[in-house]
Amino acid sequence: MKALLTTGTGPYGIALGDRPDPVPGATEVLVAVEAVGVNRGELARIAVSPAGAPLGWDVYGHVVRPADDGSGPPAGTPVVGLSGGEGWAELAVLATDRLAAVPEVLGSTAAALPVAGLTARYALRAAGPPTGRTVAITGAGGGVGRIAVQLAAVAGARTIALVGDPSQHQDLAHAGADVVAAYGADTGPVDVLLDSVGGEALTAAFDRVRPGGVVVAFGNSSRAPLQLPPTWARDRPGVTLRGLGLFDEITRQHTARDLEGLVIRAAAGRLDPNVVVTTGWEDAPAVLQGLNERRIAGKAVLLTGSHGAGA
Amino acid sequence: MKALLTTGTGPYGIALGDRPDPVPGATEVLVAVEAVGVNRGELARIAVSPAGAPLGWDVYGHVVRPADDGSGPPAGTPVVGLSGGEGWAELAVLATDRLAAVPEVLGSTAAALPVAGLTARYALRAAGPPTGRTVAITGAGGGVGRIAVQLAAVAGARTIALVGDPSQHQDLAHAGADVVAAYGADTGPVDVLLDSVGGEALTAAFDRVRPGGVVVAFGNSSRAPLQLPPTWARDRPGVTLRGLGLFDEITRQHTARDLEGLVIRAAAGRLDPNVVVTTGWEDAPAVLQGLNERRIAGKAVLLTGSHGAGA
């Protein structure tokens, strides 16, 4: 089968190549992949992978072979799921506890949901019940951040979207943000901080977390060290700072159920996955570069093979 | 009444002076103070207080006037408690929900327990059930650290005591530590890290916390910023870092009950408060300097007035 494989030629070094078809285990379905999602984490993987490595977590397609153990959907069902990292291919296996059926109205847009949507869901969950609390979200213009804004607002939180340039992100107000502000702006005290930027944005935002509040760090797009002033624990007593890694978190969560919840919301028009680029998978290098350079401010979905731009 | 008051003359600027007698509220007892404990936090208070400010959290003495609301012990009861910060005086008020009766066998040694013992208790509690888990404790030779080692060991944790110079702290093995090691030593993975040192000791110890583990920071004797590598959340997914401030924490805890538990353990010889200096309160400046310069490696108790060294 065809698959996107690393070429070992730099940060966007990825190209279509050939790979053996995957063989599903007893609790996995085999999926004919029609669309895949692109995440910042895959950029990091490319940077550290030798040539010829497979990639890809977010997968959308139709089941071509159901799971041998009887779990999961029958053949022909359109599904989206979180693969083990080899999903950017014509065929992929998905564990039945990490996939959800996709209503026709949503279609391949669902490919943007697994990593970004589940990360946002689990970051918010790790922070405790959001209703009636003030939730600030750094990187609110990004794939995860924008979903987190929507989920927090729908759950009844007062939501503060923190971004580099508020003038470029006023649409976050339509996504549910009560306030759209720049990093370091004095937006008043917050109960919960969801951070995917790190560095100075996190240091500044941390200073506004109420005693007893919760900070969940699920990314570090600034690639800067975490730095807090010497008196951080005394000044913000009872504050919890939690690191969240999706592939660690899903070992303790009901991922299929949570993914289904995201899919249903998106299909009903109550959650916008914010797909701003949909193109054929042969364009993967340009898409990766656009995401890395922040020219693509949202999610990108790549269509495979005959489903791609040339079809 | 006589009281220790700041003089505004440097880090150990404190001397006996005169102050009006305190007036207890309806839920407070009035105590004739016989002994007080000294904590690192009071050093910090002196540094930022104008001349004439009262100090002191840890108070031991006899009730001379019970609480008007009928709560708490009757007159004549020996008690230890956490005062609001004016306890280094001949008379002090203690809220009845922040004190415990003291068995005669323990006596004035109990003055070392409130701040150090409750901080250790709440740090351990914040980390979750310790039984069967590996708990590392920085600053294990200090007042709080040494109690935390004992409480963790008794609760069934494998306990790693981290100190600056292990050769000077082999006695921590008798306190229950399974391992006594230097900061940065590779002592293997830990589930829980209790930190009162901060800086490089915390950065190094954080790197050994298992995914899903808990770090509770209740002090920062190094006075260094918190610094973690850019990949901290990815490398240690699910790790929680919690700042704990005692006077914030007690608003959510049953302090009287917890203090009683510490007093009972200490009276039964199952918890050593590690009082290494007992002297008259006129020696407060020298004691504070000794603690700050780490020549006093344990707790200091100051005896007031006629109960002091000269009695």
Side-chain angles (χ1 to χ4, degrees), chain A residues 220 226-228 230 238-241 243, chain B residues 220 226 228 230 238-241 243:
Chain A
N220 184 0
L226 171 67
Q227 184 140 3
L228 297 178
V239 164
T240 293
L241 175 62
Chain B
N220 184 1
L226 171 67
L228 298 178
V239 164
T240 293
L241 176 61

Side-chain angles (χ1 to χ4, degrees), chain A residues 56-99:
Chain A
W57 296 303
D58 288 341
V59 165
Y60 167 82
H62 284 73
V63 175
V64 291
R65 180 177 153 182
D68 285 347
D69 72 348
S71 66
T77 308
V79 294
V80 66
L82 193 64
S83 87
E86 307 184 352
W88 289 357
E90 288 178 310
L91 292 168
V93 296
L94 289 175
T96 55
D97 60 358
R98 293 187 183 174
L99 62 78

Side-chain angles (χ1 to χ4, degrees), chain B residues 90-114:
Chain B
E90 288 178 310
L91 292 168
V93 296
L94 289 176
T96 55
D97 61 358
R98 294 187 183 174
L99 62 78
V102 177
E104 200 173 331
V105 63
L106 191 58
S108 65
T109 303
L113 282 174

Side-chain angles (χ1 to χ4, degrees), chain B:
Chain B
M1 67 170 182
K2 282 189 190 166
L4 282 170
L5 303 173
T6 56
T7 59
T9 57
Y12 317 118
I14 190 160
L16 286 171
D18 286 304
R19 246 194 131 223
D21 290 2
V23 178
T27 61
E28 294 173 328
V29 299
L30 185 67
V31 172
V33 180
E34 294 163 36
V36 299
V38 183
N39 297 285
R40 194 161 287 274
E42 278 128 354
L43 275 164
R45 286 281 297 268
I46 292 175
V48 298
S49 297
L55 283 174
W57 296 303
D58 290 340
V59 165
Y60 168 82
H62 284 72
V63 175
V64 291
R65 180 177 153 183
D68 284 348
D69 73 347
S71 66
T77 309
V79 294
V80 66
L82 194 64
S83 87
E86 307 184 352
W88 289 357
E90 288 178 310
L91 292 168
V93 296
L94 289 176
T96 55
D97 61 358
R98 294 187 183 174
L99 62 78
V102 177
E104 200 173 331
V105 63
L106 191 58
S108 65
T109 303
L113 282 174
V115 168
L118 290 169
T119 301
R121 165 58 71 212
Y122 295 147
L124 207 51
R125 186 173 292 164
T131 313
R133 298 168 89 193
T134 297
V135 176
I137 298 161
T138 66
V144 183
R146 193 174 289 263
I147 294 180
V149 166
Q150 297 178 70
L151 295 178
V154 163
R158 181 168 168 270
T159 305
I160 299 174
L162 298 172
V163 295
D165 181 355
S167 70
Q168 298 202 349
H169 289 95
Q170 286 307 313
D171 59 311
L172 283 167
H174 297 288
D178 296 282
V179 178
V180 181
Y183 301 132
D186 185 4
T187 53
V190 307
D191 302 296
V192 171
L193 171 63
L194 307 184
D195 174 66
S196 62
V197 176
E200 290 178 13
L202 174 53
T203 304
F206 187 89
D207 200 40
R208 297 192 172 84
V209 179
R210 281 202 181 93
V214 181
V215 182
V216 180
F218 57 88
N220 184 1
S221 62
S222 70
R223 301 183 181 108
L226 171 67
Q227 184 140 5
L228 298 178
T231 56
W232 72 273
R234 193 193 312 160
D235 294 345
R236 320 235 74 79
V239 164
T240 293
L241 176 61
R242 170 126 195 257
L244 185 143
L246 180 60
F247 291 90
D248 167 74
E249 195 64 26
I250 57 176
T251 63
R252 297 183 289 271
Q253 300 280 358
H254 295 282
T255 304
R257 191 180 64 195
D258 293 323
L259 188 55
E260 183 186 26
L262 293 164
V263 165
I264 288 171
R265 276 176 192 269
R270 293 185 288 115
L271 175 69
D272 177 8
N274 193 36
V275 176
V276 295
V277 169
T278 303
T279 185
W281 65 346
E282 62 277 10
D283 295 334
V287 168
L288 287 164
Q289 186 166 4
L291 283 167
N292 197 39
E293 296 173 355
R294 292 168 209 285
R295 283 180 286 105
I296 299 177
K299 295 294 293 179
V301 168
L302 304 178
L303 305 176
T304 64
S306 59
H307 306 277

